[in-house]
């Protein structure tokens, strides 16, 4: 047995230093790659916030023009709404067919589609998202009862997906973004920036976008959502969406009225969601319904006539998002329309039936506020009107979407009513349960099925065309 020469102490030290340097180099490489990935992701989330803020400014400008036009020429609604909605429907069919409606069902549908595939990018196409911004602003100017917050979700998801796709497939930076993480962060970040509510964006991502889908809940998604919300706070200021001048207080005697508000909003919210899912064709007899489906532009024209008539009967209170009316009711100021809640519900259903871009999120809050006012009128002043309005806002939104935690958190955060959080949760849970008896499947998830089928059909037709 021969003895092998032992390495000198200097050689052993050199080997140890080399191995330590190699380990440090690999660790630094991993840290640099993770840092780059995190930076790119947060930059995309900040871009989503900027898109939402621009969208917000554009929508507010359109609403201001609409109010000024109505104050000067109330009859203009009959001249603008029917042909205007018909033109919007025609434009939507031609340039952005997947941009109609809220936008949240489209984002939910993408969670069940192949990542970065044709079907997924069809539903959250960035060019269609830009069209959605413009068409929604025009709808608000015309007086349609729609909101911009749902569209902000689709726009945010489209912007974030396009951002991640560009870095991975065009710039050649292999940072390993997952399509679902990009979509979730963009969609929830768009909602957080639109309402100025970072916490509600996180809850929306978990409760709505995470329902029925396997999502990667890593720090990137949560950081992206919070970055969008906090950037909005930094630009706009730490101001609530609805400014409530005096805190809304809870009295122990109000519990029966809270439960009554939850029951009423649960019934109306469930019927509201059911109507939206059935559609205008489903409400009409078979042959008439089929004819309506074959003529979507004329259907939009008829919906415009209905919305104009309701607006004329309510002195214009049902036009737009309903923000002004809700802000007045939350501060105890009366509005002229006695049946604002019911009128707003009908106007919102008609706007949705028109098939134009526009959400139901803010109109749902307005409908709930109106129903709360109706209940207060029935109590002959025994309950606090502002408390009933606040509870009914959250309860109706929860009933329409069957997302009680999101509804509670978003109403709490947009009104800074932290003291009412327990009561909001109790009302939204009860309203959501009642609504499920009328509409068993949550509205956004039920509507997403149709969009998913359309996207898969588009993907199949493009695959057949490429093979041919």
């Amino acid at each position: 047995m021969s003895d092998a020469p032992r390495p000198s102490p200097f050689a052993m030290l050199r080997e140890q230093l080399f191995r330590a340097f190699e380990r440090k180099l690999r660790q630094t490489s991993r840290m640099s790659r993770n840092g780059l990935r995190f930076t790119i992701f947060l930059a995309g989330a900040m871009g989503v916030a900027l898109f939402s803020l621009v969208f917000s400014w554009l929508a507010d400008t359109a609403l201001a023009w609409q109010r000024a036009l109505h104050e000067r020429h109330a009859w203009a609604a009959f001249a603008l709404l029917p042909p205007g909605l018909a033109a919007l429907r025609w434009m939507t069919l031609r340039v952005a067919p997947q941009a109609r409606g809220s936008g949240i069902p489209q984002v939910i549908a993408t969670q069940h589609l192949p990542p970065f595939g044709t079907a997924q990018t069809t539903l959250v196409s960035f060019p269609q998202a830009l069209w959605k911004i413009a068409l929604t602003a025009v709808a608000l100017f015309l007086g349609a009862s729609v909101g911009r917050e749902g569209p902000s979700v689709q726009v945010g998801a489209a912007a974030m997906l396009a951002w991640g796709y560009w870095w991975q497939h065009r710039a050649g930076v292999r940072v390993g973004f997952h399509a679902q993480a990009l979509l979730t962060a963009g969609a929830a970040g768009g909602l957080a920036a639109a309402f100025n509510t970072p916490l509600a964006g996180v809850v929306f991502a978990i409760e709505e976008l995470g329902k029925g889908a396997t999502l990667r809940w890593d720090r990137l998604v949560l950081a992206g959502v919070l970055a969008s919300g906090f950037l909005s706070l930094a630009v706009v200021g730490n101001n609530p969406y609805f400014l409530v001048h005096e805190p809304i207080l809870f009295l122990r005697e109000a519990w029966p009225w809270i439960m009554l508000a939850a029951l009423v909003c649960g019934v109306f919210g469930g019927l509201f969601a059911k109507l939206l899912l059935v559609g205008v064709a489903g409400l009409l007899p078979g042959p008439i319904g089929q004819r309506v489906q074959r003529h979507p532009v004329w259907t939009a024209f008829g919906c415009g006539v209905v919305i104009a008539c309701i607006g004329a009967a309510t002195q214009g209170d049902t036009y737009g998002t309903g923000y002004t009316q809700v802000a007045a009711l939350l501060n105890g100021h009366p509005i002229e329309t006695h049946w604002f809640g019911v009128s707003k519900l009908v106007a919102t259903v008609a706007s949705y039936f028109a098939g134009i871009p526009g959400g139901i999120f803010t109109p749902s809050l307005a409908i709930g506020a109106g129903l709360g006012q109706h209940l207060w009128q029935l109590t002959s002043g025994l309950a606090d009107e502002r408390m009933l309005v606040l509870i009914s806002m959250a309860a109706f939104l929860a009933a329409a979407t069957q997302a009680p935690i999101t509804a509670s958190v978003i109403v709490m955060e947009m009104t800074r009513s932290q003291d009412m959080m327990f009561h909001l949760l109790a009302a939204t849970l009860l309203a959501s349960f009642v609504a499920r008896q009328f509409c068993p499947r949550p509205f956004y998830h039920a509507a997403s099925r149709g969009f998913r089928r359309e996207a898969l059909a588009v993907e199949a037709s493009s695959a057949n065309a490429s093979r041919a």
Side-chain angles (χ1 to χ4, degrees):
M1 180 176 179
S2 61
D3 295 334
R6 297 184 61 184
S8 65
F10 178 75
M12 293 175 61
L13 179 62
R14 184 178 61 185
E15 182 68 20
Q16 290 175 359
L17 289 173
F18 178 77
R19 290 180 180 176
F21 176 76
E22 193 176 36
R23 286 196 302 270
K24 191 66 177 177
L25 192 63
R26 286 198 299 267
Q27 183 182 9
T28 304
S29 176
R30 285 196 299 269
M31 290 175 60
S32 300
R33 187 169 180 269
N34 289 335
L36 177 63
R37 182 169 177 258
F38 198 74
T39 302
I40 293 174
F41 202 91
L42 287 185
M46 294 171 69
V48 168
L50 292 176
F51 266 107
S52 295
L53 291 173
V54 171
F55 193 7
S56 172
W57 173 82
L58 193 62
D60 291 343
T61 302
L63 286 170
W65 288 356
Q66 191 279 325
R67 283 193 296 269
L69 181 64
H70 180 266
E71 289 174 1
R72 295 181 181 179
H73 310 288
W75 54 266
F78 289 94
L80 290 177
L81 264 169
L85 293 192
L88 278 179
R89 180 58 172 153
W90 181 82
M91 283 288 294
T92 303
L93 290 169
R94 282 186 64 87
V95 300
Q98 303 301 333
R100 69 185 186 275
S102 167
I104 296 177
Q106 291 92 315
V107 175
I108 292 174
T110 61
Q111 305 290 342
H112 306 274
L113 295 172
F116 295 111
T118 304
Q120 190 177 74
T121 53
T122 296
L123 290 176
V124 287
S125 162
F126 188 64
Q128 290 201 49
L130 296 179
W131 275 109
K132 186 161 191 135
I133 292 175
L135 295 176
T136 303
V138 174
L140 289 170
F141 169 71
L142 293 174
S145 180
V146 295
R148 62 171 172 82
E149 288 73 22
S152 296
V153 171
Q154 187 179 12
V155 171
M160 198 69 173
L161 188 68
W163 176 255
Y165 182 86
W166 186 85
W167 277 100
Q168 291 193 172
H169 299 277
R170 299 292 176 85
V173 180
R174 301 297 178 184
V175 286
F177 288 142
H178 294 272
Q180 287 185 334
L182 291 165
L183 289 166
T184 303
L191 183 74
F195 278 124
N196 219 19
T197 52
L199 180 59
V202 174
V203 176
F204 172 76
I206 296 172
E207 187 177 29
E208 276 291 353
L209 302 181
K211 190 183 296 181
T214 304
L215 299 178
R216 295 177 58 88
W217 291 111
D218 53 20
R219 60 175 183 165
L220 276 180
V221 175
L222 299 180
V225 177
L226 292 174
S228 297
F230 287 133
L231 180 63
S232 174
L233 287 175
V235 175
V236 180
N238 190 18
N239 302 314
Y241 188 80
F242 292 111
L243 182 60
V244 180
H245 298 290
E246 294 182 10
I248 299 175
L249 303 177
F250 168 75
L251 299 176
R252 193 176 304 169
E253 296 79 10
W255 268 116
W257 302 115
I258 290 177
M259 294 297 100
L260 178 61
L263 289 171
V264 171
C265 290
V267 172
F268 276 92
L271 293 174
F272 174 71
K274 189 71 174 178
L275 280 173
L276 297 184
L277 289 174
V278 168
V280 63
L283 294 177
L284 301 173
I288 301 177
Q290 293 174 5
R291 185 176 301 175
V292 165
Q293 280 186 321
R294 289 195 298 267
H295 301 284
V297 175
W298 282 108
T299 301
F301 185 94
C303 291
V305 174
V306 172
I307 299 166
C309 291
I310 296 172
T314 58
Q315 293 80 46
D317 281 345
T318 54
Y319 295 143
T321 60
Y323 175 89
T324 304
Q325 290 73 25
V326 175
L329 291 173
L330 283 172
N331 286 286
H333 304 312
I335 58 176
E336 296 181 7
T337 304
H338 294 292
W339 288 99
F340 170 70
V342 176
S343 303
K344 187 67 175 173
L345 189 151
V346 178
T348 304
V349 170
S351 300
Y352 188 85
F353 284 171
I356 59 174
I360 64 165
F361 223 100
T362 317
S364 293
L365 295 173
I367 294 168
L371 293 177
Q373 184 198 29
H374 301 338
L375 287 173
W376 174 76
Q377 291 169 345
L378 292 175
T379 65
S380 301
L382 294 177
D384 181 6
E385 180 185 11
R386 298 165 67 234
M387 184 268 296
L388 281 179
V389 168
L390 180 73
I391 293 295
S392 298
M393 285 170 59
F396 186 86
L397 181 61
T401 62
Q402 293 186 28
I405 301 176
T406 299
S408 301
V409 173
I410 206 164
V411 170
M412 177 273 292
E413 216 174 352
M414 66 170 46
T415 58
R416 301 295 190 266
S417 303
Q418 290 85 349
D419 294 340
M420 295 289 294
M421 188 61 197
F422 177 75
H423 314 92
L424 290 170
L425 275 172
T428 54
L429 289 169
L430 178 58
S432 184
F433 173 78
V434 173
R436 203 171 294 122
Q437 314 313 309
F438 298 91
C439 186
R441 188 168 174 80
F443 166 70
Y444 288 136
H445 290 264
S448 70
R449 290 182 169 183
F451 286 104
R452 189 163 62 248
R453 286 193 296 267
E454 290 180 22
L456 290 173
V458 170
E459 186 177 49
S461 64
S462 6
N464 293 333
S466 62
R467 282 197 297 267

